[in-house]
């Protein structure tokens, strides 16, 4: 019997190693620290199913959009063109690479419906399936746009989502590539900046930030507030895959919300992973994950799926 059990366990472990456990995917933000390693290295870790390049913090209201990838590259003078091959290497591993617009610090605001339409066209032509003379990542075609809107007015992000969805559908007709629309609201429901946009029902994936918000984040040993907020989000957006957005270290969220990997596995995942539209976890950010080894500590917990 012992031998038989051992064989079964070994066979199960091999299956898990080969295919990933039925469990969660990890999405990570990359781009805001020059000490976090390259994009290709990030994808090469095997931890992540999605990587959001952060950020495009300046757009809308007639401003010339500005890409900011910290010390990774200087977008002026075509300095980020080298990322094209890194993006391709991520995509060849099946990892979705997104561009995140907005962020906690930035100058962005949509002035009108027409402005939202113009920004959508800009994003499509510059980073996705369209064409432009100015493509910072050259021929690389990203997998979608992430809205991390945290400052300014909430106006017209619904128009932006509708215009992007329209361009995605139109662009997809020519080929088989599909594009994603994702968003990173804060955990109080509804989100002050993204509520109207999310009401369109057009988002494929929503990674809710369960940090910096005492009213809905995890309190040590007590997932009660997190559970209430999680239930709001998963019920409100049945057609989206909902991810639990977390800081990858306590330094990543000095204002609170860090959940140690052991607590995540024992106390928090069981609260969220029964939802039909539970998708996985999002980590802010690759830098903190690298320093703290958060994803690495989750490996072997039987809850991992990078496919
Ligand atoms: C957990 O937190 C909730 C909300 O703050 C509170 O009402 C409840 O008493 C706490 N439970 C325990 C066991 O501390
Ligand atoms: C939910 O999480 C728990 C604890 O990590 C794990 O044991 C369980 O298999 C998970 N369930 C699903 C459906 O992923």
């Amino acid at each position: 019997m012992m031998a038989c059990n051992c064989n079964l366990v070994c066979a199960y472990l091999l299956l898990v190693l080969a295919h990933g456990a039925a469990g969660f995917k990890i999405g990570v933000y990359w781009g805001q620290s020059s000490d976090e390693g390259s994009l290709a290295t990030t994808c090469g870790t095997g931890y992540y199913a999605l990587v959001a390049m952060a950020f495009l913090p300046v757009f809308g209201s007639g401003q010339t959009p500005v890409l900011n990838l910290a010390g990774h590259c200087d977008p002026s003078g075509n300095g980020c063109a080298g990322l094209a091959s890194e993006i391709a290497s991520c995509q060849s591993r099946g990892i979705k690479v997104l561009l995140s617009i907005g962020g906690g610090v930035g100058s962005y605001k949509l002035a009108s419906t027409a402005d939202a339409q113009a920004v959508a066209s800009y994003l499509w032509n510059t980073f996705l399936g369209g064409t432009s003379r100015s493509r910072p990542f050259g021929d690389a075609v990203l997998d979608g746009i992430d809205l991390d809107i945290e400052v300014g007015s909430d106006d017209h992000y619904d128009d932006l989502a509708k215009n992007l969805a329209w361009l995605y559908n139109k662009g997809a007709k020519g080929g088989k590539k599909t594009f994603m629309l994702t968003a990173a609201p804060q955990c109080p429901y509804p989100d002050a900046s993204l509520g109207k946009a999310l009401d369109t029902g057009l988002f494929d994936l929503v990674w809710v930030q369960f940090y910096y918000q005492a009213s809905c984040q995890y309190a040590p040993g007590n997932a009660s507030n997190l559970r209430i907020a999680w239930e709001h989000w998963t019920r409100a957006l049945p057609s989206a895959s909902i991810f639990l957005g977390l800081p990858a270290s306590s330094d990543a969220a000095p204002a609170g919300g860090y959940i140690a990997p052991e607590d995540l596995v024992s106390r928090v995942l069981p609260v969220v992973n029964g939802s039909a539209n539970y998708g996985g976890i999002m980590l802010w950010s690759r830098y903190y994950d690298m320093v703290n080894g958060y994803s690495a500590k989750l490996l072997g917990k039987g809850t991992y799926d990078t496919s």
Side-chain angles (χ1 to χ4, degrees), residues 117-132:
Q117 192 173 3
V119 170
S121 298
Y122 164 82
L123 293 170
W124 174 256
N125 290 329
T126 310
F127 300 102
L128 303 173
T131 53
S132 165

Side-chain angles (χ1 to χ4, degrees), residues 214-215 217 219-226 228:
S215 69
Q217 74 198 17
N222 189 337
S224 157
N225 288 339
L226 181 145
I228 292 165

Side-chain angles (χ1 to χ4, degrees), residues 128-163:
L128 303 173
T131 53
S132 165
R133 261 174 291 167
S134 162
R135 286 181 65 101
F137 310 137
D139 289 343
V141 177
L142 297 184
D143 296 289
I145 299 293
D146 174 58
L147 270 56
D148 180 20
I149 306 306
E150 306 196 20
V151 301
S153 157
D154 65 336
D155 284 343
H156 303 297
Y157 289 103
D158 50 346
D159 296 320
L160 180 66
K162 286 177 201 161
N163 279 286

Side-chain angles (χ1 to χ4, degrees), residues 163-250:
N163 279 286
L164 279 172
W166 186 80
L167 289 163
Y168 286 7
N169 284 333
K170 188 166 151 263
K173 278 186 192 138
K176 46 188 182 328
K177 187 168 173 67
T178 55
F179 296 92
M180 297 181 75
L181 193 54
T182 71
Q186 325 266 310
C187 56
Y189 184 87
D191 185 74
S193 300
L194 285 162
K196 280 191 282 179
L198 292 169
D199 282 346
T200 62
L202 292 169
F203 288 77
D204 303 291
L205 185 161
V206 177
W207 29 44
V208 183
Q209 301 182 42
F210 281 88
Y211 42 100
Y212 278 149
Q213 300 285 349
S215 69
C216 45
Q217 74 198 17
Y218 178 75
N222 189 337
S224 157
N225 288 339
L226 181 145
R227 178 200 300 269
I228 292 165
W230 177 262
E231 284 173 0
H232 260 122
W233 283 104
T234 47
R235 279 202 208 117
L237 299 167
S239 65
S241 181
I242 310 295
F243 278 49
L244 186 69
L246 298 173
S249 77
S250 50

Side-chain angles (χ1 to χ4, degrees), residues 22-24 264-266 269-270 273-274 278 301-303:
F24 58 78
L264 178 73
V265 171
S266 65
L269 288 183
N273 72 7
Y278 164 71
K301 305 285 188 203
T303 45

Side-chain angles (χ1 to χ4, degrees), residues 53-121:
M53 300 172 78
F55 288 105
L56 184 85
V58 178
F59 63 83
S61 304
Q63 303 176 92
T64 302
V66 177
L67 184 67
N68 178 321
L69 296 174
H72 288 292
C73 60
D74 179 357
S76 66
N78 216 22
C80 296
L83 281 171
S85 61
E86 300 198 41
I87 292 163
S89 119
C90 294
Q91 291 172 329
S92 72
R93 295 170 185 273
I95 297 168
K96 303 287 186 193
V97 184
L98 313 167
L99 174 70
S100 185
I101 70 168
V105 183
S107 165
Y108 51 87
K109 183 179 186 310
L110 297 175
S112 63
T113 306
D115 191 30
Q117 192 173 3
V119 170
S121 298

